[in-house]
Amino acid sequence: MATNVMGTSSPAAQDRGRLEALRRSGLLGGDTFHRLDRLTRLASSLTGAPVSLISMVDEDRQYFTSQHGLHEPWASDRQTPLSHSVCQTVVASEDPVVIDDLGADPGWADHPARHDIGVEAYCGVPIRDPDGHVLGSFCVIDSERRVWDVRTVDILEQLAALVTETVDANRDYSTMVHDLQRRLIPDQLPVHPGGRLQGKYRPVIDTDDVGGDFYDAFLRADGQMDVVVGDVVGHGVTSTHAAAQLRAAARAVFAGQSPTPADTINRIETACGDLPGCEGAALVVMRISADGRTVRWARAGAMPPVVTGPNPRVLMQGASPPLGVGPCVHDPSCEVRLEDGEGLMLFTDGLVERRDEDLDAGFLRLMTCCREGAALAPDCDVYTLAQKVCPHATQSDDLALVHWAPHAA
């Protein structure tokens, strides 16, 4: 059969609309799609190919939502750089790509997929979302030369159609849970006359894996402002409902004028401690003074606040256990006076945590971004900061963050 010659990374693969559709599909999170493993097993069984893949072509990588028969380290990594991707050719052409012998074709003989992964023969068909975007390829590969027949292409196209049906069903569920999640985030934050408060929530790429991160703020009658950032344990609808309960309790406690941030957390725990999903939640509360310069905080199981600006630093004091484990203790040292050009950021662990590295590495990355200008108060843009510290491709948990920067004197 005809060979499609590999070129450079095509504009089709980098199309923003296609990439957005890919992220909405949920197929970049294989942990939620174990049911697709039966399709890759079936593909190998029906075609006799030793390896079969459901491969998503992302901006800078191909990600294996499901795989059967792939050798290490690729099986555990579940991804390769685009330099090793034959599947991006399927995305570029939007048609089946059939290569019987990579070594015999000048366009493929020196390709990294052949030398590093051992791909000698390839047959792949497009995987589309319900709107027609080509998200990746359902393919079979062999480590030896192989003549693929029309029957193989037909089998793969039928299996790819089942993946499309899965995306469609998942999208309906995802729409429901993300609508619920969006209700946890205020449409707009209150305005403090002494500075600028920003907030950002970003879900994980895998649309089934909805979490319970949230933030909110409340302007007090005395001119001070209370801000809360929370993270409920786990993912899914139960966690999102628990986060909604915590946010509602926080607003009620804010209105009641708690004397300290630690007291605010303890009152929230009293209100929600017996509700499903609230135990083990992490909360951090800060109180901004009327002039915007002094910030006090308390945290229960939460990430420490970070002072942003030219001299960024992590404020480690005041650690208390998560909700349901023990009381949040008031610590007088949890207070900072912000100078011109400084701000204070609260955030959940999704900003700095990655499965493949120590937490210290995430904080080091955050400090580096601050020093390089991505978080220089008062001009800090939280969207840009989140993307620099935690690009979409490396994000493994949802994240919420708020940033406060007082006006210059």
Side-chain angles (χ1 to χ4, degrees):
M1 300 183 70
T3 298
N4 296 63
V5 178
M6 169 69 179
T8 58
S9 180
S10 72
Q14 300 299 317
D15 179 76
R16 304 312 304 178
R18 188 195 73 84
L19 291 170
E20 290 173 5
L22 175 58
R23 290 183 170 85
R24 290 194 303 268
S25 74
L27 291 173
L28 289 176
D31 291 346
T32 310
F33 282 91
H34 290 304
R35 58 189 178 276
L36 295 182
D37 292 344
R38 63 185 176 87
L39 298 184
T40 48
R41 290 194 299 267
L42 184 60
S44 286
S45 175
L46 293 175
T47 65
V51 178
S52 58
L53 305 170
I54 295 175
S55 174
M56 298 296 105
V57 178
D58 200 0
E59 191 168 9
D60 55 1
R61 60 171 181 161
Q62 63 176 354
Y63 178 83
F64 305 134
T65 306
S66 177
Q67 64 84 22
H68 174 77
L70 195 64
H71 61 77
E72 296 294 350
W74 313 108
S76 295
D77 291 346
R78 301 188 74 105
Q79 62 183 354
T80 75
L82 280 185
S83 60
H84 290 61
S85 174
V86 183
C87 295
Q88 67 173 312
T89 312
V90 177
V91 171
S93 67
E94 300 190 356
D95 285 314
V97 170
V98 180
I99 309 171
D100 297 336
D101 186 354
L102 272 73
D105 189 317
W108 292 99
D110 294 325
H111 196 273
R114 180 169 179 253
H115 294 295
D116 296 344
I117 306 177
V119 180
E120 294 294 341
Y122 176 96
C123 181
V125 303
I127 294 175
R128 303 177 188 271
D129 75 353
D131 298 321
H133 296 99
V134 178
L135 307 180
S137 171
F138 202 130
C139 67
V140 287
I141 60 179
D142 203 329
S143 58
E144 298 180 358
R145 181 184 183 278
R146 186 188 188 103
V147 178
W148 306 104
D149 56 19
V150 175
R151 175 178 170 272
T152 299
V153 175
D154 183 60
I155 288 170
L156 293 178
E157 287 180 334
Q158 292 185 53
L159 294 175
L162 293 176
V163 178
T164 300
E165 292 178 8
T166 300
V167 171
D168 197 21
N170 179 66
R171 185 165 63 176
D172 291 341
Y173 172 80
S174 300
T175 298
M176 181 268 292
V177 292
H178 275 299
D179 282 347
L180 178 60
Q181 173 67 65
R182 277 191 290 271
R183 292 181 187 135
L184 297 178
I185 306 303
D187 293 333
Q188 62 182 33
L189 291 168
V191 176
H192 188 302
R196 181 189 185 201
L197 182 68
Q198 295 182 79
K200 172 67 179 174
Y201 169 77
R202 197 174 76 188
V204 288
I205 291 173
D206 177 359
T207 53
D208 267 350
D209 203 20
V210 176
D213 291 19
F214 68 95
Y215 62 85
D216 204 352
F218 186 88
L219 191 61
R220 295 159 52 100
D222 60 5
Q224 300 186 91
M225 180 180 283
D226 285 339
V227 181
V228 62
V229 175
D231 184 3
V232 173
V233 175
H235 298 87
V237 175
T238 299
S239 295
T240 308
H241 275 296
Q245 298 281 359
L246 288 171
R247 182 191 174 206
R251 291 191 70 82
V253 172
F254 286 162
Q257 307 293 305
S258 299
T260 67
D263 185 62
T264 297
I265 291 176
N266 289 327
R267 293 188 186 193
I268 294 171
E269 179 179 21
T270 299
C272 298
D274 295 332
L275 296 176
C278 292
E279 184 175 3
L283 289 180
V284 56
V285 171
M286 71 174 171
R287 178 163 295 170
I288 304 166
S289 63
D291 69 356
R293 288 288 177 170
T294 301
V295 180
R296 293 182 291 156
W297 74 92
R299 60 189 178 104
M303 294 287 102
V306 167
V307 174
T308 61
N311 182 32
R313 55 199 183 275
V314 182
L315 305 177
M316 297 299 297
Q317 62 265 42
S320 289
L323 298 193
V325 180
C328 184
V329 179
H330 172 64
D331 184 345
S333 71
C334 292
E335 180 175 315
V336 65
R337 182 77 178 174
L338 298 174
E339 304 298 330
D340 281 352
E342 291 187 330
L344 191 70
M345 181 166 58
L346 310 181
F347 54 93
T348 59
D349 55 10
L351 181 67
V352 292
E353 280 191 346
R354 293 183 186 176
R355 293 191 181 104
D356 58 349
E357 69 179 19
D358 186 85
L359 184 61
D360 289 343
F363 274 97
L364 178 61
R365 192 164 51 250
L366 174 56
M367 294 296 100
T368 300
C369 287
C370 289
R371 293 189 183 94
E372 291 177 350
L376 293 179
D379 298 323
C380 172
D381 177 75
V382 293
Y383 179 86
T384 301
L385 176 66
Q387 182 60 19
K388 285 182 175 293
V389 179
C390 182
H392 280 288
T394 65
Q395 186 178 349
S396 58
D397 193 6
D398 57 336
L399 64 88
L401 65 92
V402 295
H403 183 266
W404 167 253
H407 294 316

